[in-house]
Amino acid sequence: MTGPMRAGNGAIPKGPDAKPAVRGTSEGRRVDGHPLPGGGVILAVAALGVVFGDIGTSPLYSLQTVFTLDGGIVHATTGDVYGVISLIFWSLTIIVSIKYLGVAMRADNEGEGGVMALAALAQRLYSNLGRRAGVLIVVGIVGVALFYGDSIITPAVSVLSAVEGVQVAAPAIAHLILPISAVILTALFIVQRFGTGKVGNLFGPVMVLWFLVLAVVGLAEVVQHPFVLAGLSPTYAVAFVVAHPFMAFVAMGAVVLVITGAEALYADMGHFGRGPIRRAWFYLVFPSLTLNYLGQAALVLNNPGTRVNPFFLLFPEWARIPAVILATVATIIASQAVISGAFSLSRQAVQLGLLPPLTVRQTSEREGGQIYMPVVNFLLFLGVIAVMFAFGSSARLATAYGVSVTGALATDTLLLLLVARPLWHWHPWKIILAGIAFGGLELTFLSGNLSKVAQGGWVPLLIAAAVITVMTTWRRGRQFVVDDRKVKEGSLADFVEAVRVNDIPRVPGVAVFPHPNRDTTPLALRANVEHNHVLHERVIIVSAVFQRVPYVPVSESFTRDDLGYSGDGIEHLIVRFGFSEAPDLPGALRTAVSVGALDLEPEQLEDASYFISRGAIRTSHPSRMTRWRRGLFVMIARNAADPAARFRLPSLRTVTMGSDVEI
């Protein structure tokens, strides 16, 4: 029997206990097409606790960095202050409001955002180019590598900038800044295992309070000095650049700090959907940030001495200790945006074959993008602690910050312009206009930050180079392994025919072979026949397929294929899992038996043996990879997630077999 699973002559009915199909959408959670009450508001608040922390804490250090950069090259004069405020406001408008929330979030890859999703989408849209479309994935690799650099520096600079507020509020304990920051960051990475949904629900209300405080303290200063509102006019940005081109170029290297986290908004789209993220930005985040930057600018203009720390000096003296505490909590949350974004991009990289299989824990039953990756979390933690102690202060880290941020932004723009025509049928003039608006601004940011490579900008570049090396090595080595395995596996149809012709002896029992497709023969199956010269009475080749829905109805979970012969005991079974379902193959097979998709007795499955196809990797002569790359690939492969553990196979009845694979 071939086709969707059937019981008798009809489709399997949905029982009263079957779980409804649930899909995450940009408008909130939906069950069977009906929105959950308040789902959009709940997700918007949760998004505040995960997605906007990074960009929402930029006021802590952005304006301070602009006015203290290079010994104070930007002066506290009306022209300079208005010019800087204009640059800040229009950077937020063009890059965040228009580019990411208005355009980029329309270019999702099955609900996922971020540079890897965009690269995969571009590759699919340009599939007619054949192998040349692979260069788009290379662009994606560069973008995600730069994002990892951002993911390491963001938590360190954010938490440090908040804790350094004690230098203003309580100078006596200033020597404890680094230890306090280390403890806070350690706690942050520990709670990641509970999932972005739970973290967002906890952090969301705190961030609502944070943005309201930003708005209130900024508005209080603006009310006293309303003339600063004039700085929102783009004419002041143009006048600033024309009058002081070099000063403006240097300032742009720091102005970019106000849009740190913009890429994280896009990368985290799979966690909450575009609707809640857009609502949170336009209704609360953008107005609050604008008011706070205006308030800091008015303070600096009226009291130039405050430019050393305009954020905390906005607060009255009695409120500075509470402000430090709230800012510290907010910066903890700020780190969440890039951490959860790194989880999303890492999973996409695994799916694209750029990283080895990694353990992924689904942390939400309704939102497919809410995941936790232990290995990624641990590596990020090590990197964050290392850069924090190496640089020692947020001011020094800020100089290293912009290179990774601007590089990631420019990569997104390049891919976005490439997909705009085939995806949205944009006319060339519109693509050129977007390229000038987005790309021109981002390339200016990038140029301004490249001048800081010697002052610490080399750190994110070094991180990016390491990630690129790992991804390209795994991609190349994996292709060699896949090609070699295909040759060794051979056609499954030919194998089944050979078994019939050669009359291979059969032994009692059921043998299950997890395998990704029905076209080639599992190495373990071929090795068992070639070396043991026997075959089990029942051979089930199982392919697990993961769907973009939380739960797959039982009636759609299985597709059985007898591979051309109904009585030879060899069959192929597709098992479909939703993202909220544990990929439990033994459990899925028991379900298949209970509903009639497999013609077996339940007790037969209890004694079934599972065979994993996994051969040792050895080097061919001459090798197709350099020695150091070969060694790196083997090391990565040995640390990949164990398929037996992933599919919850019983350890006492699982055997690993296969043949050596050459690279």
Side-chain angles (χ1 to χ4, degrees), residues 169-501:
I173 61 171
H175 62 286
L176 297 176
I177 288 174
L178 282 177
I180 293 172
S181 300
V183 170
I184 291 171
L185 288 167
T186 301
L188 172 67
F189 281 95
I190 288 174
V191 302
Q192 293 305 312
R193 67 187 63 205
F194 299 112
T196 52
K198 292 183 176 65
V199 171
N201 292 333
L202 174 66
F203 287 168
V206 177
M207 290 307 293
V208 171
L209 174 62
W210 169 254
F211 285 115
L212 290 176
V213 169
L214 289 185
V216 168
V217 296
L219 182 61
E221 193 69 28
V222 171
V223 168
Q224 295 181 50
H225 309 286
F227 52 81
V228 76
L229 291 169
L232 298 180
S233 170
T235 58
Y236 284 100
V238 174
F240 181 55
V241 171
V242 171
H244 311 287
F246 178 74
M247 183 191 298
F249 179 76
V250 173
M252 289 289 275
V255 168
V256 71
L257 296 176
V258 306
I259 55 173
T260 57
E263 159 68 10
L265 299 182
Y266 185 36
D268 283 331
M269 185 170 69
H271 290 256
F272 299 101
R274 64 173 70 92
I277 292 175
R278 283 173 173 167
R279 283 192 288 271
W281 171 258
F282 287 110
Y283 294 165
L284 180 61
V285 179
F286 191 24
S288 298
L289 290 177
T290 302
L291 284 172
N292 194 266
Y293 285 125
L294 286 169
Q296 289 189 51
L299 183 66
V300 169
L301 197 56
N302 286 277
N303 186 358
T306 60
R307 61 183 179 177
V308 296
N309 202 323
F311 178 81
F312 285 108
L313 291 173
L314 266 181
F315 292 84
E317 190 170 345
W318 62 267
R320 286 173 188 166
I321 291 291
V324 170
I325 295 172
L326 179 60
T328 301
V329 175
T331 53
I332 294 171
I333 299 170
S335 306
Q336 186 63 51
V338 290
I339 293 172
S340 54
F343 292 160
S344 295
L345 292 181
S346 297
R347 180 170 68 173
Q348 293 168 32
V350 170
Q351 293 169 341
L352 290 171
L354 302 175
L355 287 176
L358 300 173
T359 300
V360 179
R361 297 178 187 170
Q362 188 69 41
T363 59
S364 169
E365 291 190 353
R366 296 183 182 274
E367 299 300 323
Q370 293 185 14
I371 58 173
Y372 168 64
M373 303 183 74
V375 171
V376 176
N377 191 62
F378 179 70
L379 293 176
L380 285 179
F381 170 69
L382 291 182
V384 168
I385 294 297
V387 300
M388 185 183 72
F389 279 100
F391 283 82
S393 72
S394 62
R396 293 181 62 193
L397 266 171
T399 62
Y401 203 10
V403 176
S404 58
V405 173
T406 53
L409 294 176
T411 304
D412 281 347
T413 295
L414 175 60
L415 290 170
L416 198 60
L417 296 177
L418 287 172
V419 304
R421 186 167 182 81
L423 188 63
W424 302 311
H425 309 293
W426 277 16
H427 294 293
W429 68 264
K430 188 179 289 187
I431 295 174
I432 294 171
L433 182 61
I436 294 172
F438 304 150
L441 186 57
E442 290 165 354
L443 288 177
T444 303
F445 284 143
L446 180 60
S447 301
N449 279 278
L450 287 177
S451 62
K452 303 175 186 175
V453 170
Q455 286 77 38
W458 57 270
V459 172
L461 294 179
L462 180 64
I463 295 169
V467 173
I468 291 170
T469 300
V470 168
M471 286 188 170
T472 54
T473 298
W474 178 258
R475 185 172 183 243
R476 183 171 175 80
R478 177 179 173 273
Q479 188 59 54
F480 290 149
V481 169
V482 168
D483 292 343
D484 191 63
R485 282 191 63 155
K486 282 183 179 178
V487 173
K488 286 182 166 61
E489 288 172 347
S491 166
L492 179 58
D494 292 345
F495 177 84
V496 172
E497 184 65 32
V499 168
R500 291 176 57 82
V501 171

Side-chain angles (χ1 to χ4, degrees), residues 83-123:
V84 167
I85 281 296
S86 184
L87 286 173
I88 288 174
F89 176 76
W90 288 102
S91 295
L92 287 169
T93 300
I94 294 172
I95 302 301
V96 183
S97 298
I98 299 177
K99 175 189 163 182
Y100 278 107
L101 287 112
V103 180
M105 283 193 174
R106 295 166 55 206
D108 66 285
N109 189 33
E110 297 184 347
E112 292 284 356
V115 65
M116 288 311 306
L118 194 54
L121 178 63
Q123 188 182 39

Side-chain angles (χ1 to χ4, degrees), residues 598-656:
L598 282 178
D599 183 19
L600 286 173
E601 296 298 325
E603 54 269 18
Q604 289 180 280
L605 271 183
E606 297 305 315
D607 297 323
S609 299
Y610 294 84
F611 293 84
I612 298 292
S613 301
R614 204 172 189 181
I617 299 174
R618 63 185 180 86
T619 305
S620 61
H621 297 284
S623 175
R624 292 172 288 183
M625 298 178 72
T626 59
R627 178 178 296 180
W628 69 270
R629 275 189 180 270
R630 190 168 64 242
L632 177 61
F633 176 79
V634 171
M635 181 184 71
I636 297 171
R638 287 174 179 169
N639 288 278
D642 181 8
R646 183 189 183 200
F647 292 114
R648 302 190 179 186
L649 305 184
S651 58
L652 297 179
R653 291 186 283 119
T654 300
V655 180
T656 299

Side-chain angles (χ1 to χ4, degrees), residues 526-547:
R526 188 175 289 278
N528 192 34
V529 171
E530 291 178 354
H531 296 288
N532 299 324
H533 308 293
V534 295
L535 202 62
H536 286 75
E537 285 180 340
R538 293 295 298 271
V539 173
I540 305 172
I541 302 167
V542 183
S543 298
V545 177
F546 297 91
Q547 307 286 94

